[in-house]
Amino acid sequence: MKTTWNLGLLYKDHNDPRIEKDVRSAEKDFAAFEKAYKGKTDYLKNEGKLLKALQDFESLFSERSFTKSITYFNFLTDLDSKDSVARAKSTQFIERLTKIEHKIMFFELSLAKIPAPLQKKFISSKKLAPFAYYLKTVFNKAKHDLSEAEEKIMSIKSLPAYSHWLDATEKLLAKSSVSFQGRDMPIPEAVNKIGDLPTAERRELHASLMKVLESHSDVAESEINAIVTNKKIDDELRGFVEPYDATILGYQNERKSVLALVAAVTDNFRISHRFLALKAKLLKLPHLEYSDRNIGIGENVKKIPFAESVEMLRKVFRDVDPEFEAILNRFLENGQIDVFPRQGKTGGAYCHSDKNRPTFVLLNDTETFDSASTFAHEMGHAIHSELSKVQPVMYQDYSMSSAEVASTLFEAILFDAVYETLSEKEKIVALHTKINDDIQTIFRQIACFNFETEMHKTIRAKGGMSKEELAALMNKHMSSYLGPITHMKDIDGYYFVQWGHIRRFFYVYSYAFGQLISKALYAKYKEDKKFIGKIKQFLSAGGSDSPENIFKSIGIDVTKPDFWKKGLESISKDIDKLEKLTKNR
């Protein structure tokens, strides 16, 4: 079992000659495609010729993954923020590969101009059936497309107007540390450790972390204002009305479904308030502070070494479907999981997958149940990615909202497997943890969505926001889901400095979307274990249809008016259960 990434699965080192060979090969292939189709119109009118063009287009991504070099160097900098060579090479290859992408930019823009009657004909064509959903997505976003020259400018400017700003903040935070009890710890470790400490120590570490984040808030203020203003410009040019519209379209969701989700969760923040009031009671605290939002209900936190987490997941996956365990074992054997936090390593956790190359999982395991849950979460993404590789390369990528269904589903499966083995006292702690995760994944993320919405609209209206205004706005929206039992300090608002999700605009709704759908999937699985076949159908669907249609095909209709409400009611029932279990405490 390897606990660090084996990036040799991609390239040998920074100077591997295959890197240059792969990029040059991609440059040649993309140039050939441009020469074959740019300026031509016959394939836009004829089914057979369009089929050939689409097949040639798909082959550009089937034969080799042209972004492999960027991924490799980004991985190196995620593992070590001080690797300036990797950072420089990443920038160089991004610039080269941006030029490669520009050579085929004309293709989708040309498809988008196909007249509406022909669009309908091509989408319903049996000959073009393998590409029907792809064509549908191209036609749906057509009204937001710009000219080819303008699209190239948009692409080129994204590096200095967006990516470099994110890189600066992330690099600054990765180099920073928090002093606590005589030692310096990386910010990701501090963030993860806060929830595992007794009250006094927890609040002390949180206060130290907030001071470090506040010290970096000048940079974050400039970064946020720059990237949000850049998005405003992009949205105005493309004709997006609301700041979240581009994300919803990009995630292939229905706007009506997403806004119904946001409204349902926001209208039911009282569920979160109720739970947090119960948390304070169980902790025997007169009130909660921001640092208390994610803690367990006992001072003594059981340690779960990573090796134990591995064995837990192996058993859980094996019991549900042997293929899931096989994927986990392969990842561990091949070095596709980087496990522990260390100085210079990026924080949080993620799963990265791309066409025709290994999937990689990054963790920052601190030997807690939360870390084990995160492990299950990221392996959910990994399993989704691996099973989606049965799709044609055009559909191996799946929507972000679908991704979060897979990840939260595997978290739920792990929880129930562990819960059944616990004593009554342990079940209280575990049930609290489960509800707490729902609160963080659903209510907190929608509060963040609301924060983002107001932040974008304010910057668009006023031209910018100060770091103090950003911090106050963060506190406003965090208080909305935390309720009156939680007392916020002004400095708590500086959490915006390191909350990476707000830089991936409106991404956070996908967590709530995924969690509530996964509850529906898991409920069906518990009723009938054979439903795992339907779950694997979803996990293997990739991006072959919209999330709404994929789920509808296996019996989950998110367009029903009361769908989100039912999921929220299940959380209320869990709180009822926890109240009964703890009645005499």
Side-chain angles (χ1 to χ4, degrees):
M1 183 172 72
K2 299 181 177 73
T3 58
T4 57
W5 274 346
N6 173 21
L7 295 185
L9 295 171
L10 299 176
Y11 293 114
K12 182 180 178 180
D13 55 33
H14 295 63
N15 300 309
D16 190 330
R18 292 179 299 162
I19 299 174
E20 181 62 25
K21 181 180 178 181
D22 285 351
V23 175
R24 286 190 178 183
S25 181
E27 289 172 336
K28 179 181 176 181
D29 291 345
F30 278 57
F33 182 88
E34 179 186 39
K35 183 177 180 180
Y37 291 102
K38 189 170 185 179
K40 310 286 177 59
T41 60
D42 55 340
Y43 69 92
L44 301 174
K45 305 171 185 176
N46 179 277
E47 287 182 55
K49 291 182 178 180
L50 177 56
L51 176 62
K52 177 65 166 59
L54 289 167
Q55 290 170 337
D56 289 348
F57 180 71
E58 185 178 40
S59 72
L60 294 174
F61 308 95
S62 301
E63 294 173 8
R64 63 186 56 80
S65 186
F66 75 100
T67 59
K68 184 178 174 183
S69 60
I70 294 175
T71 298
Y72 176 69
F73 290 118
N74 284 347
F75 281 169
L76 289 175
T77 54
D78 278 352
L79 295 180
D80 182 7
S81 64
K82 296 180 182 178
D83 192 339
S84 57
V85 175
R87 194 174 300 278
K89 284 184 175 288
S90 176
T91 300
Q92 291 170 5
F93 283 109
I94 286 173
E95 292 172 354
R96 286 179 66 181
L97 294 174
T98 298
K99 292 179 181 179
I100 292 176
E101 289 181 317
H102 287 172
K103 291 184 178 297
I104 62 168
M105 188 176 287
F106 75 91
F107 186 64
E108 289 192 351
L109 295 174
S110 299
L111 294 178
K113 294 176 183 177
I114 293 174
L118 267 182
Q119 288 183 10
K120 292 180 180 179
K121 178 183 176 182
F122 289 157
I123 288 174
S124 60
S125 165
K126 291 183 179 180
K127 186 180 292 187
L128 295 171
F131 297 97
Y133 183 65
Y134 167 73
L135 289 172
K136 184 178 180 180
T137 61
V138 171
F139 299 152
N140 283 345
K141 70 182 184 66
K143 67 180 180 180
H144 301 292
D145 289 337
L146 305 177
S147 69
E148 183 180 349
E150 290 170 326
E151 290 290 352
K152 287 182 178 179
I153 292 172
M154 298 285 273
S155 177
I156 292 169
K157 81 175 180 64
S158 68
L159 195 62
Y162 177 77
S163 300
H164 283 337
W165 279 105
L166 266 66
D167 185 60
T169 303
E170 290 178 352
K171 186 176 180 180
L172 181 65
L173 294 175
K175 286 184 175 181
S176 300
S177 59
V178 181
S179 296
F180 180 66
Q181 295 183 341
R183 80 178 187 92
D184 293 336
M185 64 177 68
I187 286 179
E189 182 180 352
V191 171
N192 288 333
K193 193 174 184 63
I194 285 172
D196 301 331
L197 296 170
T199 302
E201 294 178 15
R202 175 174 64 250
R203 292 176 177 178
E204 177 189 349
L205 178 55
H206 173 79
S208 297
L209 172 64
M210 288 300 106
K211 288 179 182 178
V212 172
L213 295 181
E214 184 184 27
S215 73
H216 296 318
S217 59
D218 286 322
V219 172
E221 173 192 302
S222 297
E223 173 220 15
I224 290 292
N225 280 287
I227 64 175
V228 171
T229 300
N230 179 63
K231 176 174 169 52
K232 172 192 174 184
I233 294 168
D234 289 355
D235 284 353
E236 287 176 347
L237 290 171
R238 295 190 180 282
F240 288 112
V241 177
E242 298 293 346
Y244 44 71
D245 282 343
T247 298
I248 294 174
L249 179 65
Y251 288 1
Q252 301 169 34
N253 281 127
E254 295 179 14
R255 191 174 190 261
K256 184 178 180 180
S257 297
V258 173
L259 295 184
L261 163 68
V262 172
V265 176
T266 302
D267 291 345
N268 283 278
F269 277 163
R270 62 183 179 275
I271 296 174
S272 177
H273 299 173
R274 178 185 167 206
F275 170 71
L276 290 162
L278 177 59
K279 179 197 286 281
K281 177 184 175 183
L282 295 174
L283 291 169
K284 296 181 172 56
L285 294 173
H287 69 271
L288 299 178
E289 296 189 5
Y290 194 49
S291 59
D292 303 327
R293 69 188 182 280
N294 201 30
I295 61 169
I297 55 174
E299 293 289 351
N300 298 317
V301 180
K302 179 185 176 184
K303 290 290 182 182
I304 304 178
F306 181 69
E308 186 177 331
S309 293
V310 169
E311 292 308 314
M312 288 166 54
L313 281 193
R314 278 177 172 152
K315 183 180 186 309
V316 168
F317 288 179
R318 181 168 60 249
D319 290 346
V320 176
D321 191 285
E323 187 175 6
F324 299 160
E325 183 193 15
I327 292 171
L328 171 61
N329 287 337
R330 186 170 72 246
F331 275 48
L332 291 165
E333 292 164 6
N334 291 344
Q336 291 171 247
I337 306 175
D338 199 275
V339 178
F340 300 110
R342 53 189 178 273
Q343 194 78 33
K345 179 179 173 181
T346 192
Y350 66 74
C351 172
H352 181 93
S353 177
D354 207 343
K355 306 172 184 71
N356 299 322
R357 65 169 178 261
T359 298
F360 287 85
V361 170
L362 181 137
L363 306 173
N364 276 281
D365 193 280
T366 54
E367 300 187 335
T368 65
F369 185 75
D370 280 348
S371 290
S373 295
T374 298
F375 187 16
H377 181 104
E378 298 306 333
M379 284 308 303
H381 288 309
I383 290 169
H384 193 184
S385 297
E386 294 300 292
L387 295 186
S388 290
K389 288 178 181 177
V390 301
Q391 292 290 334
V393 75
M394 192 76 81
Y395 298 134
Q396 287 182 16
D397 291 335
Y398 42 78
S399 166
M400 292 301 297
S401 51
S402 293
E404 296 307 330
V405 176
S407 57
T408 53
L409 173 63
F410 279 85
E411 277 190 76
I413 292 171
L414 172 67
F415 174 85
D416 271 9
V418 174
Y419 189 79
E420 294 305 319
T421 68
L422 302 178
S423 66
E424 182 174 325
K425 183 177 180 181
E426 290 171 327
K427 284 182 177 180
I428 290 172
V429 175
L431 181 58
H432 172 276
T433 299
K434 177 189 177 185
I435 301 169
N436 198 78
D437 287 347
D438 281 339
I439 299 300
Q440 299 303 311
T441 303
I442 299 170
F443 295 94
R444 184 169 187 251
Q445 301 300 345
I446 293 303
C448 184
F449 183 95
N450 294 337
F451 160 78
E452 282 193 74
T453 301
E454 186 169 355
M455 175 183 72
H456 281 257
K457 289 186 174 183
T458 301
I459 290 176
R460 291 179 178 201
K462 293 175 55 180
M465 292 179 71
S466 68
K467 59 185 182 182
E468 292 84 4
E469 289 173 321
L470 288 165
L473 187 63
M474 174 64 74
N475 271 359
K476 169 187 170 182
H477 286 284
M478 293 303 99
S479 294
S480 69
Y481 94 91
L482 290 167
I485 196 67
T486 307
H487 296 186
M488 305 286 288
K489 295 182 173 67
D490 290 345
I491 199 171
D492 293 332
Y494 287 94
Y495 201 85
F496 85 86
V497 172
Q498 71 94 44
W499 200 341
H501 288 152
I502 66 175
R503 278 86 170 165
R504 278 77 179 175
F505 305 126
F506 301 98
Y507 162 66
V508 291
Y509 87 77
S510 65
Y511 283 109
F513 186 95
Q515 185 83 324
L516 289 170
I517 293 177
S518 72
K519 284 180 177 295
L521 285 179
Y522 194 40
K524 286 182 174 287
Y525 170 74
K526 287 192 289 186
E527 291 172 4
D528 179 8
K529 294 297 187 291
K530 292 181 181 178
F531 191 72
I532 190 61
K534 294 290 187 181
I535 291 175
K536 291 187 75 173
Q537 180 182 324
F538 146 62
L539 293 172
S540 302
S544 59
D545 206 338
S546 71
E548 282 84 353
N549 285 342
I550 289 172
F551 295 123
K552 194 171 184 178
S553 72
I554 61 170
I556 304 294
D557 189 353
V558 305
T559 63
K560 290 184 177 179
D562 63 343
F563 177 82
W564 305 116
K565 185 179 178 181
K566 284 184 178 179
L568 296 172
E569 287 172 351
S570 72
I571 301 172
S572 287
K573 290 178 181 177
D574 281 342
I575 298 173
D576 291 341
K577 187 176 179 180
L578 182 61
E579 285 180 333
K580 290 178 181 178
L581 286 171
T582 60
K583 187 175 181 180
N584 297 321
R585 288 187 61 171

